[in-house]
Amino acid sequence: MIRPFRIVAAIFLVGAFLCSCSSKQKETEQLPNIIYIMSDDHAYQAISAYGHGLNETPNIDRLANEGAIFSRACVTNSICAPSRAVLLTGKHSFINGKVDNVQPFNWDQPNFPKLLQANGYQTAMIGKIHLDGIPQGFDFSMVLPGQGNYYNPDFLIDGERVRKEGYCTDIITETTLDWLKNKRDPNKPFCVLYHQKAPHRNWKSAPEYLGLYDDKTFNPPSNYFDDYSGMGTAAREQEMQIDGHAGWGHDFKMIVDPNGDSTGFQRELNRFNEKQLVDWLAAYTPKNDAFKAEYPNLSEKEIGLWKFNRYIKDYLRTIKSVDDGVGEVLDYLEESGLAENTIVIYTSDQGFYLGEHGWFDKRFMYEESFRTPLLVRYPKEIEAGTEIGRLVQNLDFAPTILDYAGVEVPEEMQGESFRKLVSGEADEWRDAVYYTYYEYPSVHMVKRHYGVATDRYKLMHFYYDIDEWEMYDLEKDPKEMQNVYNNPEYADVQKMLHEKLEEVRVKYGDSDELNQKYLKAYLDHQEQRRNRNNN
Ligand code: SGN
Ligand code: CA
């Protein structure tokens, strides 16, 4: 005979077992939070985890040490606003319509934050978005209008313009932390887009880092004095040389140039408060005076090297504040117990030239601006120290984030979720990516082009006012110094790349007709602007 208390005990035990299972299940089914950190123009060469030895970014490096680092993450269109439109929509520029910094962006189209919201997420957008109109898909938004300012910037808070005293990078970090700590609903999963303006031109450092690297001399990349003899017309005709197109005032922070002429930089200091101005002048005046005293005796090469140093130091100083902010956010996740269940992504809207080919800026499909840094930490799924060398693209962010959040990825999104790639479960991955660039004629004069990249090769077509092909073998020529298009040794590769290019253009829905359509819209827009200015 079974005694009643045994039956009760058995029921209790089974019940307790079921209960513990379902609470475990609940735990594993808990939706992850997402912190998507994007800076503006942050070259992978300036993240110490990438091993270039330029600077130290201990906090961003934590993501690589505790998660994954991608060595061949790239963008579809290496310029700011289009990159952000691709991030939000998961569609190529020629499909979402935001092909360059001047065309309007249609916020009414579907985007991943809207889909997260519809699935119970709380969302926020803090920092630079560079897309006109009130951001859609966010419970809270505080964005810089356009490019924004480094010092005492204006913000649009849910659409209302407010000036904030202080340094832009710090304000964006503080606002993000405040939202995480005090504003969000702790019962909902969250997704916050934490977007820095830094290290965008013109690289104004925080007051505390104005003297950082003063005691150091940086060597430029080996192709800093490139004469472009192995490249094409587009490389020769750009306007983004540090030693050539960067200005004494705006870029090199001189109020009076070495020839004694006013640079106009003084005007940029009007935004500073008294303390900021005093600190700024105390830091720059002695450096500028010392250079001007030496200037008459310097060779052209020495001046070129000085310019590189002024540029890279200012650029890296702004990154120091970005890295500090990442550290504060990661510390908060640890302290609050959120770290385990929060996916942290660090990336940039594109890469940047740190003197390679003599350049600053981006836009080209050459490696330094085509690629972008990408680091992802998610302890539940990603092993510490993971390295991913496959071609992932900013087109993949929307589908990846939706995948992690358990939201069905809409058919119309063109990227692929890299969730399984990074957790080590994917058997297959793409072998080619597609690239387009449209903003020409414009600042920096990088010609219109499109192209295809595989793990080893790249094929690009520059069009509109030229018709030139370029092809590079990244294994033999990682710095892309020698165009091998029409080199008979590469005849088979060239044929293969043309086929691949055709394949990706068909796959994503691009064509010469679309290029003509966007070209016409761009030229019309320029003409309208000229007419407005003349009237
Ligand atoms: C500004 C910069 C350019 C930069 C574009 C686009 N000039 O015009 O150097 O290429 O933005 O950058 S500056 O006078 O503002 O410094 S983007 O990141 O917004 O695409
Ligand atoms: Ca940018």
Side-chain angles (χ1 to χ4, degrees):
M1 197 180 100
I2 303 171
R3 294 195 188 148
F5 87 87
R6 287 211 175 146
I7 296 176
V8 171
I11 291 172
F12 176 78
L13 280 175
V14 170
F17 175 73
L18 286 177
C19 247
S20 89
C21 280
S22 81
S23 79
K24 269 230 172 71
Q25 214 168 353
K26 232 187 180 158
E27 221 172 81
T28 51
E29 279 175 6
Q30 199 189 1
L31 292 170
N33 305 306
I34 296 137
I35 299 193
Y36 176 89
I37 314 173
M38 187 158 81
S39 46
D40 192 351
D41 295 356
H42 193 170
Y44 55 85
Q45 307 91 296
I47 290 179
S48 36
Y50 279 95
H52 290 257
L54 260 184
N55 59 337
E56 293 300 324
T57 49
N59 295 299
I60 298 171
D61 290 6
R62 273 159 73 181
L63 298 176
N65 298 336
E66 297 162 16
I69 184 163
F70 292 70
S71 57
R72 202 85 197 295
C74 59
V75 294
T76 61
N77 182 354
S78 183
I79 185 145
C80 194
S83 168
R84 290 151 205 272
V86 170
L87 157 73
L88 291 167
T89 62
K91 293 181 206 156
H92 269 280
S93 307
F94 48 87
I95 303 290
N96 72 46
K98 183 68 183 159
V99 299
D100 52 46
N101 275 346
V102 303
Q103 304 288 321
F105 176 64
N106 172 16
W107 275 105
D108 290 338
Q109 62 190 309
N111 70 29
F112 83 84
K114 291 185 191 178
L115 289 165
L116 290 180
Q117 271 185 323
N119 285 273
Y121 271 76
Q122 209 182 16
T123 60
M125 162 71 241
I126 299 158
K128 183 170 176 184
I129 190 68
H130 203 178
L131 298 168
D132 288 345
I134 297 185
Q136 290 182 29
F138 302 99
D139 296 296
F140 170 71
S141 73
M142 179 173 121
V143 299
L144 293 163
Q147 298 283 5
N149 282 292
Y150 273 108
Y151 276 81
N152 311 322
D154 285 352
F155 283 95
L156 299 170
I157 304 182
D158 291 328
E160 196 191 323
R161 202 171 176 119
V162 179
R163 180 175 165 136
K164 297 237 170 196
E165 189 85 358
Y167 186 65
C168 189
T169 307
D170 299 341
I171 296 169
I172 291 170
T173 300
E174 282 155 20
T175 308
T176 302
L177 283 169
D178 180 51
W179 188 81
L180 287 170
K181 288 179 188 169
N182 309 316
K183 303 273 164 59
R184 69 185 174 89
D185 175 352
N187 299 313
K188 283 186 169 183
F190 64 83
C191 173
V192 53
L193 275 56
Y194 161 38
H195 287 195
Q196 292 294 5
K197 166 191 170 63
H200 191 274
R201 194 181 179 196
N202 61 345
W203 321 295
K204 288 198 187 89
S205 142
E208 65 270 33
Y209 295 130
L210 288 166
L212 186 68
Y213 308 119
D214 270 355
D215 53 354
K216 223 180 134 146
T217 303
F218 288 89
N219 290 319
S222 58
N223 56 356
Y224 180 60
F225 293 107
D226 197 354
D227 61 4
Y228 317 112
S229 53
M231 301 172 85
T233 309
R236 276 190 290 278
E237 293 189 354
Q238 47 58 45
E239 293 181 2
M240 47 193 248
Q241 283 164 309
I242 296 167
D243 189 8
H245 301 108
W248 288 118
H250 189 58
D251 296 298
F252 301 128
K253 323 282 188 312
M254 300 224 161
I255 292 171
V256 175
D257 74 16
N259 304 311
D261 294 325
S262 162
T263 64
F265 185 66
Q266 181 81 48
R267 273 199 305 276
E268 294 194 29
L269 300 174
N270 289 345
R271 232 193 141 78
F272 286 44
N273 67 31
E274 223 180 295
K275 169 91 174 67
Q276 291 163 345
L277 185 63
V278 167
D279 288 346
W280 183 275
L281 293 176
Y284 277 90
T285 311
K287 299 186 234 191
N288 291 350
D289 288 349
F291 171 67
K292 279 189 258 180
E294 277 178 47
Y295 183 75
N297 306 318
L298 295 178
S299 67
E300 272 184 26
K301 187 174 174 191
E302 284 166 329
I303 294 169
L305 293 174
W306 181 89
K307 286 181 174 176
F308 173 74
N309 269 270
R310 172 57 59 95
Y311 162 63
I312 200 74
K313 288 180 189 181
D314 282 345
Y315 179 86
L316 296 177
R317 285 173 184 134
T318 69
I319 289 174
K320 183 81 175 108
S321 301
V322 172
D323 187 65
D324 290 347
V326 172
E328 284 178 49
V329 170
L330 294 182
D331 288 349
Y332 167 71
L333 293 180
E334 299 293 338
E335 288 155 17
S336 59
L338 287 167
E340 269 295 297
N341 196 42
T342 300
I343 300 162
V344 182
I345 299 172
Y346 185 89
T347 189
S348 169
D349 61 342
Q350 16 58 212
F352 211 67
Y353 295 94
L354 303 185
E356 297 85 1
H357 303 287
W359 296 336
F360 63 100
D361 217 64
K362 53 260 178 176
R363 298 160 192 263
F364 277 115
M365 197 192 169
Y366 305 124
E367 215 53 9
E368 292 82 3
S369 51
F370 170 62
R371 276 177 58 189
T372 194
L374 177 60
L375 306 100
V376 184
R377 184 182 80 177
Y378 184 34
K380 280 190 181 163
E381 283 191 24
I382 304 174
E383 238 178 86
T386 299
E387 287 176 25
I388 305 284
R390 307 305 303 267
L391 284 160
V392 303
Q393 239 175 344
N394 57 342
L395 194 65
D396 302 326
F397 286 132
T400 303
I401 291 171
L402 292 174
D403 186 5
Y404 278 122
V407 179
E408 202 182 324
V409 180
E411 273 283 301
E412 61 191 62
M413 285 195 175
Q414 300 184 302
E416 308 280 334
S417 166
F418 56 72
R419 181 178 182 177
K420 287 201 167 127
L421 180 71
V422 70
S423 67
E425 292 163 75
D427 307 321
E428 285 189 7
W429 191 248
R430 63 164 74 93
D431 62 0
V433 290
Y434 184 50
Y435 182 86
T436 61
Y437 174 77
Y438 305 84
E439 199 180 289
Y440 177 88
S442 177
V443 57
H444 303 305
M445 296 302 274
V446 172
K447 292 186 192 293
R448 290 167 181 261
H449 59 296
Y450 60 90
V452 67
T454 66
D455 292 328
R456 176 164 174 182
Y457 302 103
K458 219 182 262 177
L459 175 69
M460 311 169 205
H461 183 215
F462 291 87
Y463 65 98
Y464 174 47
D465 57 352
I466 55 169
D467 177 9
E468 271 185 33
W469 291 87
E470 291 185 33
M471 190 169 95
Y472 293 90
D473 177 349
L474 296 172
E475 198 173 287
K476 293 215 173 119
D477 178 25
K479 293 183 191 300
E480 294 162 307
M481 301 295 285
Q482 190 53 58
N483 175 14
V484 291
Y485 195 78
N486 282 342
N487 175 336
E489 279 173 39
Y490 284 90
D492 290 347
V493 174
Q494 191 167 311
K495 186 165 171 289
M496 176 277 286
L497 286 174
H498 272 290
E499 282 163 13
K500 275 265 168 265
L501 179 61
E502 200 38 44
E503 192 184 304
V504 287
R505 290 190 99 194
V506 169
K507 174 177 167 188
Y508 294 120
D510 199 15
S511 61
D512 291 349
E513 290 70 40
L514 267 181
N515 282 344
Q516 290 310 312
K517 176 188 130 181
Y518 285 117
L519 171 63
K520 185 175 179 312
Y522 185 80
L523 298 176
D524 286 351
H525 186 278
Q526 281 198 325
E527 195 181 319
Q528 280 163 15
R529 210 169 43 188
R530 263 196 307 272
N531 290 341
R532 262 202 310 274
N533 291 346
N534 290 341
N535 288 336

